[in-house]
């Protein structure tokens, strides 16, 4: 394949995923892109480029994922970079959200990515190379957003399994990067990407305020440029020693630094009690 890389991108019909298609094809790489709707993906991508393979995939169905990975190998001969980008937001308190609503967010945001990784790894191990990008969120590092508890839990889960995965696959020359964007100006806060609970409890005013802020004030005014965000991820893919944690956006960095500072102070404050439990 020379210098051309083969990318497998999930959730590619909008947002970061669609921007990946545009930038990667422009730089001469090959892209296998997935979406729940093939027609929607083809319309959004608007290309018949020979290096583009659109695929309709149900990420929570492991057989569907397996077929997509095999189709990619069949067309391009290999996979170099995986981008687990598919996912959606869920805005509701722990009490409001039903078990089904919560589990579905985990099915897509966590188990969908695990399905892709599980099916791709035999190929990456065999070729002794690869890079897995798991698109998490600053909400996978900082959880103090009213109404985003379950969504944050899915992203904390992504961060956790990614750290372990990075250790498991490093002997095969496979890299793992956890990408944690802040607020980027995509359609993430639109109704087709941000789900709200069926059963709303009026007492939770802070959550309703958070919902109003995200849907009516932040939406369309996010500080992050998705073109620059995707470009940064592609740049990281070209590094010999890429980061495990890639915070994207000045807001993401600021929130992470605030969390780290808070943890440092809390550890120091309670160190005597924390360390008093050893034999």
């Amino acid at each position: 394949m020379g210098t051309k890389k083969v990318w497998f991108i999930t959730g590619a019909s909008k947002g970061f995923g669609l921007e990946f298609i545009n930038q990667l094809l422009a730089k001469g790489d090959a892209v296998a892109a997935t979406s729940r709707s093939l027609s929607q993906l083809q319309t959004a991508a608007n290309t018949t480029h020979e290096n583009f393979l659109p695929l309709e995939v149900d990420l929570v169905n492991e057989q569907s994922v397996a077929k997509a990975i095999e189709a990619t190998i069949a067309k391009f001969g290999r996979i170099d970079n995986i981008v687990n980008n598919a996912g959606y937001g869920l805005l509701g308190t722990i009490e409001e959200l039903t078990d089904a609503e919560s589990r579905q967010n985990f099915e897509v945001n966590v188990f969908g990515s695990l399905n892709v990784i599980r099916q791709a790894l035999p190929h990456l191990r065999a070729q002794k190379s690869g890079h897995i990008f798991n698109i998490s969120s600053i909400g996978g590092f900082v959880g103090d957003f009213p109404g985003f508890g379950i969504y944050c839990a899915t992203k904390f889960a992504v961060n956790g399994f990614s750290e372990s995965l990075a250790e498991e696959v490093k002997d095969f020359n496979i890299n793992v990067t956890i990408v944690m964007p802040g607020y980027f100006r995509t359609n993430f806060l639109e109704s087709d990407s941000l789900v709200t609970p069926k059963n709303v409890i009026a007492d939770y005013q802070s959550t309703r305020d958070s919902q109003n802020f995200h849907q009516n004030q932040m939406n369309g005014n996010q500080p992050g440029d998705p073109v620059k965000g995707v470009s940064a991820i592609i740049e990281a893919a070209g590094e010999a020693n890429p980061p495990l944690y890639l915070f994207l956006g000045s807001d993401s960095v600021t929130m992470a630094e605030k969390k780290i500072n808070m943890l440092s102070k809390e550890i120091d404050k309670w160190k005597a009690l924390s360390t008093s439990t050893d034999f």
Side-chain angles (χ1 to χ4, degrees):
M1 297 294 292
T3 59
K4 182 170 77 173
K5 298 296 184 181
V6 179
W7 295 68
F8 185 91
I9 316 283
T10 69
S13 62
K14 55 189 176 182
F16 270 32
L18 185 58
E19 185 57 36
F20 267 110
I21 295 173
N22 296 333
Q23 292 194 32
L24 292 171
L25 291 179
K27 73 186 290 289
D29 284 354
V31 182
T34 83
S35 174
R36 289 172 296 175
S37 167
L38 183 61
S39 61
Q40 183 180 349
L41 174 59
Q42 290 172 323
T43 299
N46 191 29
T47 181
T48 56
H49 198 291
E50 63 180 359
N51 287 338
F52 178 57
L53 177 63
L55 297 162
E56 183 168 294
V57 177
D58 178 5
L59 290 176
V60 303
N61 182 320
E62 194 161 14
Q63 292 306 309
S64 178
V65 173
K67 289 179 181 178
I69 294 292
E70 293 300 333
T72 303
I73 298 294
K75 181 172 178 63
F76 298 121
R78 60 186 290 119
I79 298 177
D80 297 295
N81 299 316
I82 300 281
V83 180
N84 282 308
N85 172 68
Y88 69 94
L90 183 62
L91 201 168
T93 68
I94 301 298
E95 184 180 358
E96 288 172 325
L97 293 170
T98 64
D99 180 72
E101 288 170 320
S102 300
R103 286 179 184 274
Q104 183 60 26
N105 205 211
F106 272 88
E107 283 286 351
V108 176
N109 292 6
V110 180
F111 291 103
S113 294
L114 288 173
N115 284 339
V116 172
I117 292 166
R118 192 179 299 112
Q119 294 301 320
L121 273 177
H123 302 284
L124 302 186
R125 283 193 294 107
Q127 68 194 26
K128 294 292 192 294
S129 66
H131 197 154
I132 299 170
F133 289 89
N134 291 326
I135 309 298
S136 178
S137 164
I138 187 56
F141 192 78
V142 178
D144 58 352
F145 301 98
F148 280 96
I150 295 299
Y151 173 76
C152 287
T154 69
K155 295 304 186 177
F156 269 77
V158 169
N159 289 14
F161 79 64
S162 297
E163 286 192 0
S164 293
L165 177 66
E167 292 300 311
E168 292 166 358
V169 300
K170 65 181 181 180
D171 289 342
F172 306 108
N173 194 36
I174 300 170
N175 293 308
V176 176
T177 295
I178 306 162
V179 182
M180 284 173 289
Y183 291 106
F184 276 77
R185 204 167 298 179
T186 67
N187 64 336
F188 180 75
L189 297 177
E190 299 287 348
S191 59
D192 61 342
S193 293
L194 184 64
V195 175
T196 54
K198 295 180 177 67
N199 304 308
V200 174
I201 299 174
D203 288 349
Y204 286 105
Q205 187 58 47
S206 65
T207 296
R208 300 289 80 77
D209 291 342
S210 175
Q211 181 175 343
N212 179 63
F213 168 75
H214 283 92
Q215 292 180 323
N216 300 315
Q217 297 177 48
M218 179 59 78
N219 189 23
N221 295 302
Q222 298 97 321
D225 181 348
V227 174
K228 294 179 180 178
V230 168
S231 178
I233 297 169
I234 294 173
E235 181 178 337
E239 295 292 328
N241 296 295
L244 172 60
Y245 276 102
L246 179 61
F247 294 92
L248 280 189
S250 58
D251 55 348
S252 178
V253 170
T254 297
M255 285 186 273
E257 290 176 336
K258 181 180 177 183
K259 171 75 174 281
I260 292 167
N261 184 54
M262 180 275 290
L263 283 174
S264 180
K265 289 181 178 178
E266 194 148 276
I267 290 169
D268 286 343
K269 180 178 179 180
W270 296 97
K271 184 176 289 186
L273 183 60
S274 297
T275 59
S276 69
T277 59
D278 297 345
F279 281 106

